[in-house]
PDB file of all heavy atoms in Angstrom:
ATOM      1  N   GLN A1697     -48.041  -9.846  62.590  1.00  0.00           N
ATOM      2  CA  GLN A1697     -48.729  -9.315  61.405  1.00  0.00           C
ATOM      3  C   GLN A1697     -49.098 -10.401  60.416  1.00  0.00           C
ATOM      4  O   GLN A1697     -49.780 -10.138  59.428  1.00  0.00           O
ATOM      5  CB  GLN A1697     -47.854  -8.258  60.733  1.00  0.00           C
ATOM      6  CG  GLN A1697     -47.575  -7.058  61.603  1.00  0.00           C
ATOM      7  CD  GLN A1697     -46.739  -6.023  60.881  1.00  0.00           C
ATOM      8  OE1 GLN A1697     -46.581  -6.109  59.670  1.00  0.00           O
ATOM      9  NE2 GLN A1697     -46.248  -5.052  61.618  1.00  0.00           N
ATOM     10  N   ASN A1698     -48.615 -11.612  60.665  1.00  0.00           N
ATOM     11  CA  ASN A1698     -48.869 -12.716  59.735  1.00  0.00           C
ATOM     12  C   ASN A1698     -50.146 -13.467  60.145  1.00  0.00           C
ATOM     13  O   ASN A1698     -50.155 -14.685  60.333  1.00  0.00           O
ATOM     14  CB  ASN A1698     -47.682 -13.681  59.721  1.00  0.00           C
ATOM     15  CG  ASN A1698     -47.790 -14.696  58.604  1.00  0.00           C
ATOM     16  OD1 ASN A1698     -48.586 -14.522  57.674  1.00  0.00           O
ATOM     17  ND2 ASN A1698     -47.026 -15.763  58.712  1.00  0.00           N
ATOM     18  N   VAL A1699     -51.250 -12.693  60.367  1.00  0.00           N
ATOM     19  CA  VAL A1699     -52.538 -13.277  60.710  1.00  0.00           C
ATOM     20  C   VAL A1699     -53.584 -12.560  59.904  1.00  0.00           C
ATOM     21  O   VAL A1699     -53.324 -11.500  59.320  1.00  0.00           O
ATOM     22  CB  VAL A1699     -52.842 -13.125  62.226  1.00  0.00           C
ATOM     23  CG1 VAL A1699     -51.865 -13.951  63.057  1.00  0.00           C
ATOM     24  CG2 VAL A1699     -52.808 -11.657  62.647  1.00  0.00           C
ATOM     25  N   GLN A1700     -54.823 -13.126  59.914  1.00  0.00           N
ATOM     26  CA  GLN A1700     -55.897 -12.465  59.187  1.00  0.00           C
ATOM     27  C   GLN A1700     -56.251 -11.139  59.859  1.00  0.00           C
ATOM     28  O   GLN A1700     -56.059 -10.966  61.062  1.00  0.00           O
ATOM     29  CB  GLN A1700     -57.141 -13.362  59.174  1.00  0.00           C
ATOM     30  CG  GLN A1700     -56.928 -14.657  58.404  1.00  0.00           C
ATOM     31  CD  GLN A1700     -58.163 -15.542  58.439  1.00  0.00           C
ATOM     32  OE1 GLN A1700     -59.226 -15.132  58.913  1.00  0.00           O
ATOM     33  NE2 GLN A1700     -58.010 -16.763  57.935  1.00  0.00           N
ATOM     34  N   LYS A1701     -56.781 -10.166  59.129  1.00  0.00           N
ATOM     35  CA  LYS A1701     -57.064  -8.834  59.656  1.00  0.00           C
ATOM     36  C   LYS A1701     -58.095  -8.882  60.796  1.00  0.00           C
ATOM     37  O   LYS A1701     -58.000  -8.127  61.745  1.00  0.00           O
ATOM     38  CB  LYS A1701     -57.590  -7.936  58.545  1.00  0.00           C
ATOM     39  CG  LYS A1701     -56.500  -7.495  57.582  1.00  0.00           C
ATOM     40  CD  LYS A1701     -57.022  -6.433  56.646  1.00  0.00           C
ATOM     41  CE  LYS A1701     -55.904  -5.911  55.777  1.00  0.00           C
ATOM     42  NZ  LYS A1701     -56.363  -4.843  54.882  1.00  0.00           N
ATOM     43  N   ARG A1702     -59.056  -9.779  60.664  1.00  0.00           N
ATOM     44  CA  ARG A1702     -60.043  -9.878  61.727  1.00  0.00           C
ATOM     45  C   ARG A1702     -59.389 -10.279  63.034  1.00  0.00           C
ATOM     46  O   ARG A1702     -59.724  -9.785  64.092  1.00  0.00           O
ATOM     47  CB  ARG A1702     -61.141 -10.890  61.336  1.00  0.00           C
ATOM     48  CG  ARG A1702     -62.262 -11.018  62.367  1.00  0.00           C
ATOM     49  CD  ARG A1702     -63.322 -12.000  61.945  1.00  0.00           C
ATOM     50  NE  ARG A1702     -63.914 -11.569  60.698  1.00  0.00           N
ATOM     51  CZ  ARG A1702     -64.817 -12.293  60.027  1.00  0.00           C
ATOM     52  NH1 ARG A1702     -65.186 -13.483  60.467  1.00  0.00           N
ATOM     53  NH2 ARG A1702     -65.341 -11.838  58.899  1.00  0.00           N
ATOM     54  N   LYS A1703     -58.452 -11.179  62.961  1.00  0.00           N
ATOM     55  CA  LYS A1703     -57.779 -11.610  64.174  1.00  0.00           C
ATOM     56  C   LYS A1703     -56.924 -10.492  64.735  1.00  0.00           C
ATOM     57  O   LYS A1703     -56.810 -10.341  65.943  1.00  0.00           O
ATOM     58  CB  LYS A1703     -56.918 -12.830  63.890  1.00  0.00           C
ATOM     59  CG  LYS A1703     -57.746 -14.099  63.635  1.00  0.00           C
ATOM     60  CD  LYS A1703     -56.827 -15.287  63.464  1.00  0.00           C
ATOM     61  CE  LYS A1703     -57.648 -16.562  63.252  1.00  0.00           C
ATOM     62  NZ  LYS A1703     -56.790 -17.742  63.151  1.00  0.00           N
ATOM     63  N   ARG A1704     -56.353  -9.702  63.854  1.00  0.00           N
ATOM     64  CA  ARG A1704     -55.522  -8.607  64.371  1.00  0.00           C
ATOM     65  C   ARG A1704     -56.387  -7.574  65.098  1.00  0.00           C
ATOM     66  O   ARG A1704     -56.027  -7.039  66.129  1.00  0.00           O
ATOM     67  CB  ARG A1704     -54.760  -7.935  63.206  1.00  0.00           C
ATOM     68  CG  ARG A1704     -53.631  -8.795  62.678  1.00  0.00           C
ATOM     69  CD  ARG A1704     -52.624  -7.925  61.952  1.00  0.00           C
ATOM     70  NE  ARG A1704     -53.225  -7.211  60.849  1.00  0.00           N
ATOM     71  CZ  ARG A1704     -53.302  -7.662  59.615  1.00  0.00           C
ATOM     72  NH1 ARG A1704     -52.869  -8.878  59.325  1.00  0.00           N
ATOM     73  NH2 ARG A1704     -53.844  -6.928  58.668  1.00  0.00           N
ATOM     74  N   SER A1705     -57.580  -7.303  64.572  1.00  0.00           N
ATOM     75  CA  SER A1705     -58.450  -6.319  65.224  1.00  0.00           C
ATOM     76  C   SER A1705     -59.008  -6.839  66.538  1.00  0.00           C
ATOM     77  O   SER A1705     -59.157  -6.111  67.507  1.00  0.00           O
ATOM     78  CB  SER A1705     -59.615  -5.936  64.290  1.00  0.00           C
ATOM     79  OG  SER A1705     -60.402  -7.063  64.011  1.00  0.00           O
ATOM     80  N   LEU A1706     -59.334  -8.126  66.644  1.00  0.00           N
ATOM     81  CA  LEU A1706     -59.802  -8.705  67.902  1.00  0.00           C
ATOM     82  C   LEU A1706     -58.695  -8.710  68.927  1.00  0.00           C
ATOM     83  O   LEU A1706     -58.939  -8.582  70.122  1.00  0.00           O
ATOM     84  CB  LEU A1706     -60.312 -10.140  67.652  1.00  0.00           C
ATOM     85  CG  LEU A1706     -61.634 -10.257  66.850  1.00  0.00           C
ATOM     86  CD1 LEU A1706     -61.943 -11.711  66.539  1.00  0.00           C
ATOM     87  CD2 LEU A1706     -62.772  -9.633  67.670  1.00  0.00           C
ATOM     88  N   LYS A1707     -57.472  -8.848  68.464  1.00  0.00           N
ATOM     89  CA  LYS A1707     -56.352  -8.904  69.386  1.00  0.00           C
ATOM     90  C   LYS A1707     -56.210  -7.589  70.128  1.00  0.00           C
ATOM     91  O   LYS A1707     -55.799  -7.537  71.284  1.00  0.00           O
ATOM     92  CB  LYS A1707     -55.065  -9.213  68.623  1.00  0.00           C
ATOM     93  CG  LYS A1707     -53.990  -9.860  69.478  1.00  0.00           C
ATOM     94  CD  LYS A1707     -52.833 -10.243  68.601  1.00  0.00           C
ATOM     95  CE  LYS A1707     -52.364 -11.619  68.947  1.00  0.00           C
ATOM     96  NZ  LYS A1707     -51.229 -12.042  68.177  1.00  0.00           N
ATOM     97  N   THR A1708     -56.562  -6.510  69.488  1.00  0.00           N
ATOM     98  CA  THR A1708     -56.414  -5.211  70.138  1.00  0.00           C
ATOM     99  C   THR A1708     -57.437  -5.026  71.279  1.00  0.00           C
ATOM    100  O   THR A1708     -57.246  -4.202  72.159  1.00  0.00           O
ATOM    101  CB  THR A1708     -56.608  -4.079  69.104  1.00  0.00           C
ATOM    102  OG1 THR A1708     -57.887  -4.213  68.504  1.00  0.00           O
ATOM    103  CG2 THR A1708     -55.532  -4.158  68.035  1.00  0.00           C
ATOM    104  N   THR A1709     -58.536  -5.803  71.209  1.00  0.00           N
ATOM    105  CA  THR A1709     -59.561  -5.696  72.268  1.00  0.00           C
ATOM    106  C   THR A1709     -59.550  -6.887  73.194  1.00  0.00           C
ATOM    107  O   THR A1709     -60.519  -7.138  73.946  1.00  0.00           O
ATOM    108  CB  THR A1709     -60.972  -5.563  71.632  1.00  0.00           C
ATOM    109  OG1 THR A1709     -61.201  -6.721  70.821  1.00  0.00           O
ATOM    110  CG2 THR A1709     -61.058  -4.319  70.789  1.00  0.00           C
ATOM    111  N   SER A1710     -58.521  -7.651  73.140  1.00  0.00           N
ATOM    112  CA  SER A1710     -58.439  -8.876  73.957  1.00  0.00           C
ATOM    113  C   SER A1710     -58.392  -8.566  75.433  1.00  0.00           C
ATOM    114  O   SER A1710     -58.710  -9.405  76.266  1.00  0.00           O
ATOM    115  CB  SER A1710     -57.206  -9.682  73.554  1.00  0.00           C
ATOM    116  OG  SER A1710     -56.030  -8.921  73.774  1.00  0.00           O
ATOM    117  N   THR A1711     -58.016  -7.398  75.789  1.00  0.00           N
ATOM    118  CA  THR A1711     -57.973  -7.047  77.198  1.00  0.00           C
ATOM    119  C   THR A1711     -59.388  -6.833  77.744  1.00  0.00           C
ATOM    120  O   THR A1711     -59.612  -6.831  78.951  1.00  0.00           O
ATOM    121  CB  THR A1711     -57.165  -5.749  77.407  1.00  0.00           C
ATOM    122  OG1 THR A1711     -57.713  -4.742  76.581  1.00  0.00           O
ATOM    123  CG2 THR A1711     -55.728  -5.990  77.050  1.00  0.00           C
ATOM    124  N   ILE A1712     -60.375  -6.635  76.806  1.00  0.00           N
ATOM    125  CA  ILE A1712     -61.748  -6.384  77.235  1.00  0.00           C
ATOM    126  C   ILE A1712     -62.567  -7.656  77.205  1.00  0.00           C
ATOM    127  O   ILE A1712     -63.314  -7.969  78.093  1.00  0.00           O
ATOM    128  CB  ILE A1712     -62.408  -5.298  76.355  1.00  0.00           C
ATOM    129  CG1 ILE A1712     -61.549  -4.026  76.386  1.00  0.00           C
ATOM    130  CG2 ILE A1712     -63.827  -5.043  76.773  1.00  0.00           C
ATOM    131  CD1 ILE A1712     -62.031  -2.972  75.432  1.00  0.00           C
ATOM    132  N   ALA A1713     -62.324  -8.426  76.087  1.00  0.00           N
ATOM    133  CA  ALA A1713     -63.110  -9.654  75.955  1.00  0.00           C
ATOM    134  C   ALA A1713     -62.222 -10.771  75.484  1.00  0.00           C
ATOM    135  O   ALA A1713     -61.162 -10.538  74.906  1.00  0.00           O
ATOM    136  CB  ALA A1713     -64.262  -9.437  74.973  1.00  0.00           C
ATOM    137  N   ALA A1714     -62.700 -11.969  75.681  1.00  0.00           N
ATOM    138  CA  ALA A1714     -61.902 -13.128  75.245  1.00  0.00           C
ATOM    139  C   ALA A1714     -61.889 -13.182  73.737  1.00  0.00           C
ATOM    140  O   ALA A1714     -62.865 -12.833  73.082  1.00  0.00           O
ATOM    141  CB  ALA A1714     -62.514 -14.396  75.826  1.00  0.00           C
ATOM    142  N   PRO A1715     -60.796 -13.678  73.170  1.00  0.00           N
ATOM    143  CA  PRO A1715     -60.710 -13.740  71.696  1.00  0.00           C
ATOM    144  C   PRO A1715     -61.647 -14.778  71.151  1.00  0.00           C
ATOM    145  O   PRO A1715     -61.869 -15.825  71.766  1.00  0.00           O
ATOM    146  CB  PRO A1715     -59.239 -14.108  71.461  1.00  0.00           C
ATOM    147  CG  PRO A1715     -58.795 -14.773  72.705  1.00  0.00           C
ATOM    148  CD  PRO A1715     -59.570 -14.150  73.812  1.00  0.00           C
ATOM    149  N   PRO A1716     -62.236 -14.511  69.997  1.00  0.00           N
ATOM    150  CA  PRO A1716     -63.147 -15.481  69.382  1.00  0.00           C
ATOM    151  C   PRO A1716     -62.398 -16.670  68.846  1.00  0.00           C
ATOM    152  O   PRO A1716     -61.180 -16.672  68.721  1.00  0.00           O
ATOM    153  CB  PRO A1716     -63.804 -14.670  68.275  1.00  0.00           C
ATOM    154  CG  PRO A1716     -62.768 -13.670  67.876  1.00  0.00           C
ATOM    155  CD  PRO A1716     -62.046 -13.336  69.121  1.00  0.00           C
ATOM    156  N   LYS A1717     -63.119 -17.654  68.437  1.00  0.00           N
ATOM    157  CA  LYS A1717     -62.537 -18.863  67.858  1.00  0.00           C
ATOM    158  C   LYS A1717     -61.938 -18.505  66.506  1.00  0.00           C
ATOM    159  O   LYS A1717     -62.531 -17.808  65.700  1.00  0.00           O
ATOM    160  CB  LYS A1717     -63.643 -19.917  67.692  1.00  0.00           C
ATOM    161  CG  LYS A1717     -63.133 -21.257  67.261  1.00  0.00           C
ATOM    162  CD  LYS A1717     -64.283 -22.259  67.211  1.00  0.00           C
ATOM    163  CE  LYS A1717     -63.787 -23.613  66.774  1.00  0.00           C
ATOM    164  NZ  LYS A1717     -64.881 -24.607  66.730  1.00  0.00           N
ATOM    165  N   SER A1718     -60.722 -18.980  66.243  1.00  0.00           N
ATOM    166  CA  SER A1718     -60.009 -18.601  64.995  1.00  0.00           C
ATOM    167  C   SER A1718     -60.689 -19.190  63.787  1.00  0.00           C
ATOM    168  O   SER A1718     -61.291 -20.249  63.838  1.00  0.00           O
ATOM    169  CB  SER A1718     -58.567 -19.080  65.059  1.00  0.00           C
ATOM    170  OG  SER A1718     -58.529 -20.501  65.134  1.00  0.00           O
ATOM    171  N   GLU A1719     -60.520 -18.461  62.664  1.00  0.00           N
ATOM    172  CA  GLU A1719     -61.098 -18.889  61.395  1.00  0.00           C
ATOM    173  C   GLU A1719     -59.991 -19.358  60.469  1.00  0.00           C
ATOM    174  O   GLU A1719     -58.849 -18.880  60.527  1.00  0.00           O
ATOM    175  CB  GLU A1719     -61.851 -17.724  60.745  1.00  0.00           C
ATOM    176  CG  GLU A1719     -63.008 -17.232  61.603  1.00  0.00           C
ATOM    177  CD  GLU A1719     -63.713 -16.068  60.953  1.00  0.00           C
ATOM    178  OE1 GLU A1719     -63.339 -15.722  59.798  1.00  0.00           O
ATOM    179  OE2 GLU A1719     -64.615 -15.512  61.563  1.00  0.00           O
ATOM    180  N   ASN A1720     -60.338 -20.243  59.598  1.00  0.00           N
ATOM    181  CA  ASN A1720     -59.335 -20.764  58.638  1.00  0.00           C
ATOM    182  C   ASN A1720     -59.507 -20.145  57.258  1.00  0.00           C
ATOM    183  O   ASN A1720     -58.867 -20.553  56.309  1.00  0.00           O
ATOM    184  CB  ASN A1720     -59.463 -22.283  58.523  1.00  0.00           C
ATOM    185  CG  ASN A1720     -59.042 -22.973  59.833  1.00  0.00           C
ATOM    186  OD1 ASN A1720     -58.138 -22.500  60.483  1.00  0.00           O
ATOM    187  ND2 ASN A1720     -59.725 -24.063  60.183  1.00  0.00           N
ATOM    188  N   THR A1721     -60.454 -19.171  57.222  1.00  0.00           N
ATOM    189  CA  THR A1721     -60.665 -18.541  55.905  1.00  0.00           C
ATOM    190  C   THR A1721     -59.514 -17.611  55.569  1.00  0.00           C
ATOM    191  O   THR A1721     -59.009 -16.878  56.425  1.00  0.00           O
ATOM    192  CB  THR A1721     -61.988 -17.738  55.937  1.00  0.00           C
ATOM    193  OG1 THR A1721     -61.902 -16.753  56.944  1.00  0.00           O
ATOM    194  CG2 THR A1721     -63.170 -18.667  56.187  1.00  0.00           C
ATOM    195  N   GLU A1722     -59.088 -17.632  54.295  1.00  0.00           N
ATOM    196  CA  GLU A1722     -57.949 -16.806  53.829  1.00  0.00           C
ATOM    197  C   GLU A1722     -58.469 -15.495  53.297  1.00  0.00           C
ATOM    198  O   GLU A1722     -59.522 -15.421  52.681  1.00  0.00           O
ATOM    199  CB  GLU A1722     -57.209 -17.549  52.717  1.00  0.00           C
ATOM    200  CG  GLU A1722     -55.990 -16.821  52.190  1.00  0.00           C
ATOM    201  CD  GLU A1722     -55.323 -17.622  51.117  1.00  0.00           C
ATOM    202  OE1 GLU A1722     -55.513 -18.835  51.071  1.00  0.00           O
ATOM    203  OE2 GLU A1722     -54.606 -17.027  50.318  1.00  0.00           O
ATOM    204  N   ASP A1723     -57.741 -14.442  53.620  1.00  0.00           N
ATOM    205  CA  ASP A1723     -58.103 -13.114  53.106  1.00  0.00           C
ATOM    206  C   ASP A1723     -58.094 -13.160  51.589  1.00  0.00           C
ATOM    207  O   ASP A1723     -57.101 -13.569  50.974  1.00  0.00           O
ATOM    208  CB  ASP A1723     -57.103 -12.082  53.636  1.00  0.00           C
ATOM    209  CG  ASP A1723     -57.574 -10.668  53.352  1.00  0.00           C
ATOM    210  OD1 ASP A1723     -58.387 -10.510  52.415  1.00  0.00           O
ATOM    211  OD2 ASP A1723     -57.072  -9.759  54.018  1.00  0.00           O
TER     212      ASP A1723
END
Side-chain angles (χ1 to χ4, degrees):
Q1697 298 182 13
N1698 190 15
V1699 294
Q1700 295 178 8
K1701 286 189 175 182
R1702 183 179 300 175
K1703 289 184 178 183
R1704 287 202 301 270
S1705 62
L1706 290 174
K1707 204 174 224 182
T1708 58
T1709 59
S1710 61
T1711 54
I1712 304 173
K1717 187 176 180 179
S1718 63
E1719 298 179 5
N1720 292 325
T1721 60
E1722 182 180 338
D1723 191 337

